[in-house]
Amino acid sequence: MNTSPTCRSCGAALVHTFADLGLSPVSNAFVKPEDAARGEMFYRLHVQVCAQCWLVQLADGGRAQSHFHDEYVYFSSFSTSWLAHAERYVATMIGRFALDATSRVMEIASNDGYLLQYFVQAKIACLGVEPTANTAAAARKIGVDTRELFFGRATAALLLAEKGPVDLLLGNNVLAHVPDMNDFVGAMPLMLKPDGVVTLEFPHLLKLIAENQFDTLYHEHYSYLSLTALMPVFERAGLRLFDVEHLPTHGGSLRIYACRHGACHVDTGNVGTCLEQERAAGLTRLDTYAAFGDQVRETKRALLSFLIAAKREGCRIAAYGAPAKGNTLLNYCGISTDFIDFAADMNPVKQGRLLPGSRIPVVAPEQILLSKPDYLLILPWNIKDEVMEQMQAIRAWGGKFVIPVPQVDIIA
């Protein structure tokens, strides 16, 4: 029997490696203290590229239910910069598409209501679709109507019958988390009014490669997205891309705009420009993907060299944040409590637990001020400016920040 992996977009055989980070635990499977003596499951973190449609993807990411469940630890509202981004998005969409009290909005993977709360404040009817019960409950507490579902053709049919079509269907940082991309995107036109719009945001593969963001590779992310790879997915779904924007979020993201083929929205020309940028950057050549592994290995060596030297000098090192990307970094590099004393995170759901694999304890940020580490390793480097502003007090005792990606950078 042929068990070779196939592309989750076009079905072609996957034979080319993009990055192989060895074995790693599920990045958001935080360990409870009472389970500290128990073992963990580690899975291969092997990312491949399809030579037919250029979709970069995990050969096997496991079932979505193993990542998104009732004890999900990621709450979007704990980042003030992300909240500000969401509020700007809502204001922009209301203005650009003339949304008002007669309009309807739906967000896929709405998490704790971080974004839809601003539509609620604008008195625009909205619905969140979120599979994790604890974040959905948090959303309802702030007045955001939320259904606990995975989005696809079957659930879209239910939602359409129940709630009717929408003017705006959005999804921020969800497309990469979807195992069946064709079912997910194929469900979108079912939810749209004739001139309805879909917007999706996701980290841009071009930036991931250019800036060595290998720690964004983890089991929750089934795919790593370029516009080139997404064009045939949307064409199969009967959707037309009419605009794309470049965003600074998550190390560099795209926001794409789609509609039905007969909708009124005019092509801005940005889609063609972005496709040409990707072609010029080599995203339609196999050698571009093959070269990525070399820079990943060099980053590992550089970070370990810094940590070893710092510990030999007697320095104390703590980490700020407990993001999924941080767990990829720590596990790939083999970094545990022999280097890092603790990781401080604002999310109380993570506090008191241990990071998967590395078993570094997660504490409240106040512990940084009590322990006075010499170095603070910022694991969510995509919000490093926000973190350095919050933790600027470490400079009082000579503490320094360490940014691990795209290369090791020490900031006094």
Side-chain angles (χ1 to χ4, degrees):
M1 187 174 75
N2 182 13
T3 57
S4 299
T6 56
C7 175
R8 65 182 76 255
S9 172
C10 71
L14 293 177
V15 296
H16 301 283
T17 292
F18 175 60
D20 191 343
L21 303 186
L23 295 174
S24 185
V26 173
S27 56
N28 273 321
F30 285 67
V31 179
K32 296 177 180 179
E34 60 266 29
D35 295 330
R38 298 177 62 183
E40 293 176 74
M41 285 298 296
F42 280 60
Y43 305 89
R44 190 178 183 190
L45 193 49
H46 182 209
V47 185
Q48 296 180 281
V49 59
C50 176
Q52 298 299 313
C53 71
W54 304 109
L55 181 65
V56 174
Q57 58 202 284
L58 281 183
D60 180 16
R63 296 172 65 247
Q65 288 82 354
S66 66
H67 303 301
F68 309 105
H69 44 70
D70 294 354
E71 294 188 0
Y72 192 55
V73 296
Y74 179 74
F75 285 71
S76 299
S77 293
F78 284 107
S79 170
T80 55
S81 60
W82 188 240
L83 285 176
H85 173 75
E87 189 171 15
R88 286 193 300 271
Y89 167 87
V90 171
T92 299
M93 295 305 110
I94 289 174
R96 178 169 181 176
F97 299 113
L99 302 178
D100 58 25
T102 66
S103 304
R104 289 187 46 76
V105 174
M106 180 182 293
E107 181 180 12
I108 309 166
S110 50
N111 200 261
D112 58 5
Y114 75 102
L115 185 148
L116 290 182
Q117 63 180 327
Y118 300 113
F119 279 116
V120 171
Q121 291 170 17
K123 298 188 178 356
I124 294 174
C126 58
L127 177 71
V129 178
E130 170 55 54
T132 64
N134 55 342
T135 61
R140 284 190 284 266
K141 282 184 180 178
I142 60 172
V144 176
D145 187 14
T146 306
R147 291 290 308 276
E148 292 167 28
L149 295 169
F150 284 97
F151 186 77
R153 286 188 176 94
T155 50
L158 294 174
L159 291 167
L160 182 64
E162 206 175 289
K163 298 289 187 177
V166 300
D167 299 274
L168 175 64
L169 179 65
L170 71 121
N172 287 344
N173 302 300
V174 59
L175 190 54
H177 296 257
V178 176
D180 189 345
M181 186 179 295
N182 288 313
D183 181 58
F184 183 82
V185 176
M188 292 178 179
L190 301 178
M191 294 304 312
L192 293 180
K193 293 181 181 180
D195 287 327
V197 172
V198 176
T199 75
L200 298 171
E201 294 181 20
F202 49 85
H204 193 189
L205 177 67
L206 188 152
K207 286 289 191 178
L208 187 157
I209 294 173
E211 300 185 10
N212 196 32
Q213 298 166 0
F214 72 91
D215 54 344
T216 61
L217 309 177
Y218 50 89
H219 295 104
E220 268 188 39
H221 283 171
Y222 294 90
S223 305
Y224 304 86
L225 302 167
S226 65
L227 193 62
T228 297
L230 285 178
M231 291 297 287
V233 178
F234 279 80
E235 287 168 7
R236 283 193 293 270
L239 290 168
R240 171 174 61 89
L241 295 178
F242 65 89
D243 196 8
V244 61
E245 297 174 0
H246 296 265
L247 307 172
T249 53
H250 294 285
S253 297
L254 294 182
R255 177 188 291 157
I256 61 174
Y257 295 76
C259 61
R260 292 177 174 178
H261 281 288
C264 66
H265 306 287
V266 177
D267 186 347
T268 64
N270 292 334
V271 173
T273 300
C274 184
L275 290 171
E276 175 55 29
Q277 290 171 342
E278 292 183 349
R279 189 202 63 76
L283 297 195
T284 54
R285 297 198 319 265
L286 280 173
D287 61 313
T288 301
Y289 300 95
F292 185 68
D294 290 336
Q295 64 190 56
V296 170
R297 288 184 285 273
E298 179 52 38
T299 300
K300 175 178 180 175
R301 290 188 284 264
L303 180 58
L304 285 172
S305 293
F306 162 75
L307 292 172
I308 291 168
K311 294 304 286 186
R312 284 178 172 162
E313 292 171 3
C315 295
R316 293 160 300 169
I317 306 171
Y320 186 95
K325 62 165 62 73
N327 291 323
T328 291
L329 178 79
L330 295 171
N331 282 292
Y332 173 64
C333 295
I335 297 167
S336 185
T337 51
D338 48 352
F339 290 112
I340 307 294
D341 297 338
F342 58 82
D345 196 280
M346 291 179 64
N347 185 347
V349 176
K350 297 180 180 181
Q351 294 167 12
R353 299 195 182 191
L354 307 173
L355 296 183
S358 68
R359 300 299 180 94
I360 295 169
V362 184
V363 301
E366 291 75 20
Q367 186 62 40
I368 294 171
L369 303 180
L370 296 173
S371 300
K372 295 182 168 57
D374 299 289
Y375 292 101
L376 190 62
L377 175 65
I378 300 179
L379 295 176
W381 45 259
N382 53 299
I383 56 168
K384 63 181 184 295
D385 293 336
E386 176 183 334
V387 173
M388 287 190 290
E389 175 66 25
Q390 289 176 357
M391 301 307 306
Q392 59 181 313
I394 74 168
R395 294 186 169 107
W397 62 80
K400 298 177 182 178
F401 298 101
V402 182
I403 315 298
V405 172
Q407 65 276 322
V408 177
D409 191 13
I410 314 300
I411 301 175

